Amino acid sequence: MVSLLSVMLGLPQGDYIELHRKRHGYRHDHFERKRKKEAREVHKRSAIAQKVPPSSPVVHSFGPPGSYVFLLGFDDDYELCIHFRCTLNRCVQALGIKGKMFAKKRYAEKALMKKTLAMHEESTSRRKVDDDVQDGAVPAYLLDRENTTRAKVLSNTIKQKRKEKAGKWDVPLPKVRPVAEDEMFKVMRSGKRRTKQWKRMVTKATFVGPSFTRKPPKYERFIRPSGLRFNKAHVTHPELKATFNLEIIGVKKNPNGPMYTSLGVMTKGTIIEVNVSELGLVTPAGKVVWGKYAQVTNNPENDGCVNAVLLV
Amino acid sequence: MVQYNFKKITVVPPGKDFIDIILSRTQRQTPTVVHKGYAISRLRQFYMRKVKYTQQNFHEKLSTIIEEFPRLDDIHPFYGDLLHVLYNKDHYKLALGQVNTARNLISKIAKDYVKLLKYGDSLYRCKSLKVAALGRMCTVIKRIGPSLAYLEQIRQHMARLPSIDPNTRTVLICGYPNVGKSSFINKITRADVDVQPYAFTTKSLFVGHTDYKYLRYQVIDTPGILDRPFEDRNIIEMCSITALAHLRAAVLFFLDVSGSCGYSIAQQAALFHSIKSLFMNKPLIIVCNKTDLQPLEGISEEDMKLVMEMKAEAMKTVLGQGGEPTNDEGVLLTMSTLTEDGVIAVKNAACERLLNQRVEIKMKSKKINDCLNRFHVALPKPRDQKERPPCIPQAVMEARAKEAAEKEKRKTEKDIENENGGAGVYSASLKKHYILSNEEWKEDIMPEILDGHNVADFIDPDILLRLEELEREEGLRQAVEEDDDFEMDGKELTSEEQEALAEIRKKKSLLIQQHRIKKSTAESRPIVPRKFDKNKEFTTKRMGRQLSVLGLDPSLAINRARSRSLSRKGRKRERSPAYDGGDAMDVDVDTPKKKLRARSRSLSLSRSRSRPPSEVTPGEGFKDSAQKVKAIKLGKKSVKMRNKDARRGEADRVIPSLKPKHLFSGKRSIGKTQRR
């Protein structure tokens, strides 16, 4: 039922705060109190940053005197601290996750404040510009030393590098950490006495395709669980710097081996083909592009999603 | 009954704080310690619990938001429209819709990640999955941050809306800006609305309450309406239009006849005609305000014509309600809020018309039939055709007439006070009307303390009379004491006198004894039982003779005595309950259910036996005989004893926990624990 009480008693309706201010004005000390309170905020904040807030209990652990000692319980345990001969000044800090969050927030604020201050202090006066030091320039006291040129050594290293590079494609992640087989597969025991160990379950993210049907369970050697199958990838276009949620068409190459490629396992560095018809790309000839390659940039089994960067 | 109290909606936190609250709650309320060496299922469970817990908290909080905000279609159309006018229905629905989708998205995220966590084979992997899940949930909330801020603002505004009950008696005040609507409501209610000389001082609806004929009316003050096409109206005006459209109320249309509001009577009349469609089926009263500046008779011809046109329109509403077509007093009223002249009359007129309309509607509706059976006006049947008007003695009539005449002529103390300078200047002389034997003593000052004693303790107006009385008493007492000195001494009597004295004393004691016996036997037993009345002295004839000697008519008493005699009734006959009307002094042999039987019997006994049990008499409160029969049946059922055969009662054994921990946990010091 409607609460009539407030209106029956003539209690406030509508913009009653403004109405009261209009009629009666402010308190005689309102502005002074406000100013003083705002001035006190600074001190309050630093007090919080330095002390443990009284409502949060903290774990006690002793250490040698002079080390950080965590306080147990509330402020009146300072006496306990002294008794164990630790220096009080080092004991105080806002602790735990609250302390960390506060410190992070405060740090961001301070950085911003410093930047704005610096910006304000930038003056229009001109200053002297230092010339860049030339490469190979040597200070005066090192002149007249003989430096042998290591031309041959240098050329050898260059050749080696060229050789290495030949085996690599021009992809965003040229080198990836190799994944061992026991990391990739989990052995599934089967049989009445659980002695047969020829089945393996894939523990990484996989892609199987829409027309995939399992082999009869008795004969399938590699199990790809449906919980780890992904159909979509978050693909970033490196130039547009935009990310799209695109369907995967297939796995092109897995750097860990052709077996993994045939299984469709997606690990970090795998090249996949994605459906880019959403982007509306057109070849110079005029044909619409609908599939492009992308390289996986994260560990999908750890993040629960496949992030890739488009290879343009 | 839907709540129109929007003050109870919980605060909607801003997006960032929302995330902080939920995450810190997860951190505090779920276990925090986990090591790499734990069993993998334990690790998985640990992280799954965190994901699930976070999802549940988000779900809970978002659900409260969605449920507590009112749904515009479910509340009264007045409030629905008002909220639409103030906040825009579409934005409101969109914001709530976004909150709903966020809730569903978070549920989906949690489900997916819990599925993935089942495949986690290391601490690092499970932890990363949990971090990803919580991160995604927080991103969803960050995205609806603006909606949350919008909902919080709406909530704050809604909490300040006036609590108007759309179904009760309401008086609505409307008119141009600055005509005196808020001053009127300030005068008749306790609402403290701001009154200022500029237009649109009142920016929203205000409600106040007033009483009339022991009933409470709510008076709603609206912001002023300008005469504009409907589409051009701003939000403030739309509030008034909404109130006019949806509330069934008496409407007071305010007219400023002096023009000091800045608008002429022609403009106000134009407004009236443009919104008169909203006055359909509502008692309408046209109130001319500010008559202290410009009386109604003094306005120009055209203006008078316009006012009469408006009055004609208002008369139509009276006619429409089937009211008297010639009763035009309650339609056009004048008043001035500054001098308070006519304010109460306007209020009374509005309340009266509204009340009449509501009563009429109620009488015509179907619900009245449910109530009608509960009323029964009992009129005494006239036993003859003689007229019996109220009889007022002549003296009283004369006195009344004299009083009425005197009242007009009498000069009150207040008038005297006003003449002599007002409240602070003149102080009335309270001793003016003292009744004293000497008129000159009126203005004398009475001392309070004299010789150390309170004078008031010694004051008595009848002191002389009392003195006389006392003296008389004294005289009497002395005389009595003289008489008492003459003692009764046995030796001074003669023998005859002594005999006579002894006889007198004996007879006196006999009488006293008899009286005592008579008192102790009381009415329950016959005064003289038959076995002691062998001589048959106590007959009805003798009683009749003695009563007629006294001058009373004995026939009734004789009849009663005869009817109660045992010989007529038969000694051993069981007393049938119908004749005695539930006498609780039944001689009962075995009564296992005495109390209940007596109770049900008493109920059935209170019903008359001369009518059939299902016949409804007018004063009983039943709609028809079916209802009465049902009521009787229910009454009997409620008295029945419940059968508790073989069912568990309060004293029966209860096992508080079926699997107590101490029996199902713990290791054995030697041997296996394969069975317990």
Side-chain angles (χ1 to χ4, degrees), chain A residues 1-4 7-10 13-16 19 22-23 97 101 203 225 227-228 301-304, chain B residues 1 3 20 27 113 116 119 124-125 128-129 132 160 162-163 165 190 192-194 196 198 206-207 209 216:
Chain A
M1 209 47 213
V2 175
S3 119
L4 297 178
V7 185
M8 266 158 48
L9 297 179
Q13 300 183 55
D15 292 336
Y16 59 96
L19 192 61
K22 210 159 125 184
R23 285 186 181 158
I97 188 123
M101 283 167 60
T203 58
L228 289 174
E301 71 277 2
N302 284 350
D303 295 330
Chain B
M1 181 72 186
Q3 297 271 36
D20 279 344
Q27 191 252 336
Y113 276 85
L116 274 171
Y119 296 104
Y124 177 73
R125 189 158 156 186
S128 326
L129 283 170
R160 302 234 195 107
S163 38
D165 185 1
R190 279 201 64 184
D192 217 357
V193 186
D194 206 16
Q196 296 287 346
Y198 57 87
F206 283 91
V207 75
H209 294 261
R216 189 134 253 162

Side-chain angles (χ1 to χ4, degrees), chain A residues 237 240 244 246 274-284 286-292 310:
Chain A
H237 195 291
L240 297 177
F244 307 96
L246 304 174
V274 288
N275 181 346
V276 294
S277 50
E278 239 180 53
L279 301 181
L281 303 168
V282 179
T283 59
K287 295 212 182 114
V288 176
V289 177
W290 71 280
K292 259 185 153 341
L310 202 61

Side-chain angles (χ1 to χ4, degrees), chain B residues 120-139:
Chain B
D121 48 9
S122 69
L123 177 96
Y124 177 73
R125 189 158 156 186
C126 293
K127 187 171 179 181
S128 326
L129 283 170
K130 164 231 172 199
V131 166
L134 295 197
R136 270 175 114 164
M137 290 190 221
C138 295
T139 323

Side-chain angles (χ1 to χ4, degrees), chain B residues 326-499:
Chain B
T326 53
N327 182 14
D328 63 351
E329 314 157 347
V331 181
L332 181 71
L333 295 167
T334 60
M335 71 166 194
S336 166
T337 49
L338 193 63
T339 60
E340 295 189 32
D341 176 32
V343 170
I344 303 290
V346 169
K347 169 194 138 187
N348 288 346
C351 293
E352 186 70 42
R353 291 230 354 232
L354 181 66
L355 189 63
N356 290 339
Q357 193 211 26
R358 280 175 78 100
V359 167
E360 261 188 57
I361 290 177
K362 280 200 178 133
M363 293 298 287
K364 290 190 201 144
S365 76
K366 281 197 273 190
K367 280 203 230 164
I368 195 72
N369 297 331
D370 292 340
C371 307
L372 272 179
N373 59 10
R374 298 209 202 123
F375 298 125
H376 175 61
V377 179
L379 294 167
K381 260 195 304 195
R383 55 169 189 217
D384 54 23
Q385 298 299 345
K386 196 164 150 188
E387 271 263 347
R388 290 184 179 84
C391 167
I392 306 175
Q394 188 63 24
V396 171
M397 296 252 256
E398 283 169 9
R400 271 196 201 168
K402 206 166 50 162
E403 211 183 88
E406 231 181 50
K407 227 179 179 187
E408 291 159 11
K409 289 188 285 177
R410 211 178 93 173
K411 200 169 192 187
T412 59
E413 283 291 334
K414 199 154 177 95
D415 292 335
I416 297 175
E417 187 183 68
N418 283 335
E419 276 171 24
N420 290 1
V425 178
Y426 170 82
S427 61
S429 149
L430 300 166
K431 302 182 182 173
K432 215 165 39 173
H433 295 292
Y434 278 9
I435 303 170
L436 298 165
S437 49
N438 189 346
E439 295 295 320
E440 290 166 357
W441 294 345
K442 267 190 198 170
E443 296 294 323
D444 286 354
I445 304 173
M446 283 287 299
E448 287 180 12
I449 297 176
L450 193 62
D451 292 343
H453 296 285
N454 274 341
V455 167
D457 291 344
F458 293 90
I459 288 181
D460 192 349
D462 307 322
I463 198 159
L464 292 169
L465 283 169
R466 299 256 173 90
L467 193 58
E468 262 183 68
E469 268 178 47
L470 266 175
E471 285 177 359
R472 238 187 298 137
E473 263 182 53
E474 271 297 317
L476 280 173
R477 211 187 318 142
Q478 280 181 352
V480 166
E481 273 176 11
E482 285 168 12
D483 287 344
D484 272 351
D485 286 342
F486 184 72
E487 253 188 311
M488 199 66 177
D489 223 359
K491 297 182 191 118
E492 292 177 348
L493 292 172
T494 62
S495 57
E496 293 150 2
E497 282 170 352
Q498 271 182 2
E499 268 179 40

Side-chain angles (χ1 to χ4, degrees), chain B residues 446-565:
Chain B
M446 283 287 299
E448 287 180 12
I449 297 176
L450 193 62
D451 292 343
H453 296 285
N454 274 341
V455 167
D457 291 344
F458 293 90
I459 288 181
D460 192 349
D462 307 322
I463 198 159
L464 292 169
L465 283 169
R466 299 256 173 90
L467 193 58
E468 262 183 68
E469 268 178 47
L470 266 175
E471 285 177 359
R472 238 187 298 137
E473 263 182 53
E474 271 297 317
L476 280 173
R477 211 187 318 142
Q478 280 181 352
V480 166
E481 273 176 11
E482 285 168 12
D483 287 344
D484 272 351
D485 286 342
F486 184 72
E487 253 188 311
M488 199 66 177
D489 223 359
K491 297 182 191 118
E492 292 177 348
L493 292 172
T494 62
S495 57
E496 293 150 2
E497 282 170 352
Q498 271 182 2
E499 268 179 40
L501 185 61
E503 254 206 63
I504 290 171
R505 284 194 177 142
K506 203 163 70 173
K507 191 141 194 214
K508 195 165 163 190
S509 66
L510 257 176
L511 277 175
I512 290 174
Q513 269 178 29
Q514 263 186 10
H515 178 73
R516 283 190 183 139
I517 291 171
K518 218 170 30 163
K519 257 203 336 189
S520 67
T521 55
E523 303 115 17
S524 58
R525 288 168 228 165
I527 305 294
V528 180
R530 199 56 59 157
K531 63 182 178 182
F532 298 123
D533 186 27
K534 292 199 167 67
N535 302 336
K536 300 222 194 265
E537 295 166 11
F538 293 92
T539 60
T540 49
K541 256 205 264 180
R542 187 177 129 183
M543 185 176 72
R545 239 184 302 130
Q546 284 184 339
L547 280 174
S548 45
V549 161
L550 287 173
L552 301 165
D553 180 17
S555 48
L556 274 176
I558 290 172
N559 286 338
R560 184 165 181 275
R562 285 205 181 125
S563 73
R564 287 192 64 138
S565 72

Side-chain angles (χ1 to χ4, degrees), chain B residues 554-616:
Chain B
S555 48
L556 274 176
I558 290 172
N559 286 338
R560 184 165 181 275
R562 285 205 181 125
S563 73
R564 287 192 64 138
S565 72
L566 277 178
S567 59
R568 192 166 288 222
K569 286 202 295 200
R571 214 176 268 264
K572 296 249 170 80
R573 194 185 305 175
E574 211 181 64
R575 295 214 211 161
S576 82
Y579 293 127
D580 273 343
D583 191 354
M585 282 197 53
D586 252 347
V587 178
D588 37 41
V589 183
D590 60 320
T591 49
K593 299 172 188 181
K594 172 183 170 190
K595 202 165 46 156
L596 296 170
R597 208 165 58 166
R599 187 169 145 214
S600 74
R601 248 207 261 154
S602 72
L603 280 175
S604 61
L605 293 173
S606 67
R607 286 189 271 276
S608 159
R609 288 248 166 170
S610 57
R611 302 166 182 268
S614 56
E615 185 195 313
V616 177

